[in-house]
Amino acid sequence: MDDRDKILTQLAEERWRVSLALTLAMMFIYFGFILLVAFNKSLMGSLIIPGLSWGILLGALVIISAWVLIYLYVRWTNNYYDRKIEDIVKD
């Protein structure tokens, strides 16, 4: 196995770790929300201000957190992963 193969293997492992970490973060957020809906209905139904309950607010935050995690992955890929691949291809 030459150096290029080792670098590609390390890069693939790193991409897998980043993907797994972001997936686990999203699962934690989503299932946390679902568990709150299932087991703490009174909290989720209580109003923060007229017309806005905790359930609606947290549901919106779940969606926003997905966008943020996607943004983080795309930014990491564009700034780190793709540059490393370009460096390998150039060599």
Side-chain angles (χ1 to χ4, degrees), residues 34-72:
I34 294 300
L35 288 171
L36 278 173
V37 169
F39 296 111
N40 203 346
K41 290 179 178 76
S42 61
L43 170 70
M44 299 302 270
S46 63
L47 295 178
I48 301 170
I49 58 173
L52 180 65
S53 68
W54 278 105
I56 297 295
L57 177 64
L58 292 177
L61 290 175
V62 167
I63 294 168
I64 291 169
S65 69
W67 294 343
V68 168
L69 292 174
I70 291 168
Y71 170 77
L72 291 173

